[in-house]
């Protein structure tokens, strides 16, 4: 089906108008396709945990169980319920971001202090996974930002650096100033990301390794949210990675005018 309007041959105003209209149609069609794909992905992502929950319950009621077995079943169900509720929360954040319905509280933030405040949580996550976290001296920098969202951004990246690591692996966190920006780097000695997938990992639900992401409780939405938060602060995230060696995620944020 060709939805484009035929362009007249002459190069007048009408012809230009039709060109513009055709471009608009193309763009609308692309966003519609993206929306369709996204709805399909959402349904798919919800189906897996629901299937597991259903299976666990059916199995539990179809046979006599010891209390210990029932507890194990309930623990599995709880894992899936937690995954579902994390996914709902992440999706709501992204939906609200899309329709610009999230309010922010921008104020001067000391990045070094903010990172230090995260460290306690980070050490707990790292200990669970047997990963060592090292911090380099954070250079002081003030940026205009939303404290809660910035913490969410850094925690998502640090959490990934721990999750996609190897036992005994390392994560190094640093904050350095360069020109008018602060660069927060999160370097890991983990599994790395194939070159041709680096751009894709920021897309909603994209995962390099579905099974591993599931095992670690991932929703596939963390980096989409991280990218959105960076952009909201006029910043960006850069990634360098080598499969089997590790990755470096750098968040570059503009320092506030003094
Ligand atoms: P998830 O919930 O799956 O972690 P994210 O959006 O946070 O979702 O990340 C998307 C995918 O990018 C992950 O599933 C993983 O394959 C890959 N990834 C993210 N961070 C890293 C990292 N530090 N090292 C290796 N792979 C990573």
């Amino acid at each position: 089906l060709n939805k484009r309007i035929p362009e007249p041959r002459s190069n007048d105003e009408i012809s230009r108008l039709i060109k513009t209209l055709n471009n608009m149609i193309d763009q609308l069609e692309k966003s519609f396709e993206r929306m369709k794909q996204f709805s399909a992905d959402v349904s798919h992502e919800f189906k897996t945990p629901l299937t597991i929950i259903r299976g666990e319950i059916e199995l539990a009621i179809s046979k006599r169980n010891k209390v210990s077995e029932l507890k194990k079943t309930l623990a599995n169900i709880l894992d899936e319920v937690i995954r579902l509720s994390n996914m709902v929360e992440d999706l709501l954040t992204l939906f609200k971001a899309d329709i610009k319905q999230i309010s922010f509280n921008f104020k001067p933030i000391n990045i070094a202090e903010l990172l230090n405040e995260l460290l306690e949580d980070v050490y707990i996550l790292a200990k669970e996974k047997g990963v060592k976290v090292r911090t380099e001296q954070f250079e002081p920098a003030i940026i205009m930002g939303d404290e809660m969202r910035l913490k969410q951004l850094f925690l998502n990246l640090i959490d990934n650096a721990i999750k996609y690591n190897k036992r005994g692996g390392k994560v190094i966190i640093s904050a350095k100033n360069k020109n008018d920006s602060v660069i927060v780097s999160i370097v890991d000695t983990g599994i790395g990301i194939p070159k041709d997938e680096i751009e894709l990992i920021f897309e909603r639900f994209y995962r390099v390794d579905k099974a591993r992401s599931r095992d670690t409780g991932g929703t596939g939405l963390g980096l989409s949210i991280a990218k959105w938060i960076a952009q909201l602060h006029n910043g960006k995230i850069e990634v360098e990675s080598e499969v089997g060696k590790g990755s470096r995620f750098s968040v570059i944020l503009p320092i506030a005018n003094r």
Side-chain angles (χ1 to χ4, degrees):
L1 189 77
N2 189 3
K3 300 181 194 79
R4 297 183 119 240
I5 305 165
E7 282 169 29
R9 248 168 233 151
S10 64
N11 190 17
D12 55 11
E13 201 122 345
I14 294 182
S15 155
R16 260 182 312 203
L17 193 68
I18 289 179
K19 268 208 178 88
T20 312
L21 278 173
N22 276 335
N23 281 338
M24 282 167 71
I25 293 174
D26 286 349
Q27 275 173 18
L28 277 172
E29 205 161 30
K30 276 196 198 119
S31 11
F32 187 62
E33 279 308 314
R34 273 203 300 272
M35 267 170 59
K36 273 210 306 212
Q37 183 59 45
F38 183 57
S39 314
D41 289 347
V42 172
S43 321
H44 177 82
E45 293 294 332
F46 274 83
K47 233 173 146 175
T48 314
L50 286 171
T51 308
I52 294 173
I53 291 172
R54 185 178 168 167
E56 292 277 9
I57 294 174
E58 280 172 355
L59 203 67
I61 52 180
S62 70
K63 58 173 195 183
R64 289 174 68 96
N65 290 283
K66 294 196 201 104
V67 173
S68 63
E69 281 171 351
L70 275 179
K71 277 202 171 159
K72 195 157 178 291
T73 304
L74 286 176
N76 286 346
I77 293 176
L78 183 62
D79 275 352
E80 297 305 321
V81 171
I82 290 172
R83 181 195 310 282
L84 281 172
S85 66
N86 286 342
M87 220 144 68
V88 170
E89 203 172 305
D90 283 354
L91 274 175
L92 272 177
T93 302
L94 288 168
F95 278 139
K96 286 189 193 156
D98 280 349
I99 55 172
K100 305 203 167 26
Q101 258 197 10
I102 295 188
S103 53
F104 304 101
N105 182 13
F106 272 64
K107 58 177 192 196
I109 306 260
N110 182 327
I111 284 289
E113 263 174 33
L114 183 128
L115 289 171
N116 277 320
E117 283 169 24
L118 290 180
L119 289 180
E120 205 175 314
D121 288 346
V122 169
Y123 289 134
I124 294 172
L125 288 172
K127 205 172 165 200
E128 271 175 26
K129 300 273 171 189
V131 168
K132 287 201 178 61
V133 175
R134 203 182 79 209
T135 56
E136 284 177 6
Q137 182 80 40
F138 299 140
E139 288 182 14
I142 305 288
I143 73 153
M144 285 305 287
D146 181 293
E147 187 179 344
M148 193 190 99
R149 293 294 169 196
L150 285 173
K151 282 187 172 167
Q152 186 179 17
L153 159 64
F154 294 124
L155 258 186
N156 278 350
L157 298 182
I158 298 169
D159 185 35
N160 281 347
I162 295 171
K163 278 194 316 195
Y164 300 105
N165 218 313
K166 305 164 189 155
R167 221 157 232 290
K170 267 186 279 183
V171 173
I172 302 160
I173 310 169
S174 63
K176 294 198 162 56
N177 300 338
K178 193 175 169 192
N179 304 329
D180 295 329
S181 301
V182 53
I183 305 174
V184 178
S185 302
I186 295 135
V187 179
D188 68 64
T189 57
I191 60 175
I193 305 157
K195 286 264 164 313
D196 53 342
E197 288 182 84
I198 288 183
E199 282 308 309
L200 301 172
I201 56 173
F202 290 95
E203 283 177 15
R204 296 173 186 189
F205 294 124
Y206 192 88
R207 291 135 165 170
V208 176
D209 177 350
K210 286 241 172 224
R212 179 161 186 145
S213 168
R214 266 197 68 75
D215 286 348
T216 50
T219 63
L221 297 168
L223 285 181
S224 317
I225 293 181
K227 182 177 169 182
W228 160 68
I229 296 172
Q231 284 173 345
L232 195 77
H233 289 82
N234 293 321
K236 61 180 175 180
I237 304 177
E238 285 179 356
V239 187
E240 290 159 56
S241 189
E242 200 173 324
V243 173
K245 286 228 168 119
S247 312
R248 169 190 291 268
F249 282 74
S250 308
V251 183
I252 303 163
L253 298 165
I255 292 177
N257 288 332
R258 266 159 279 198

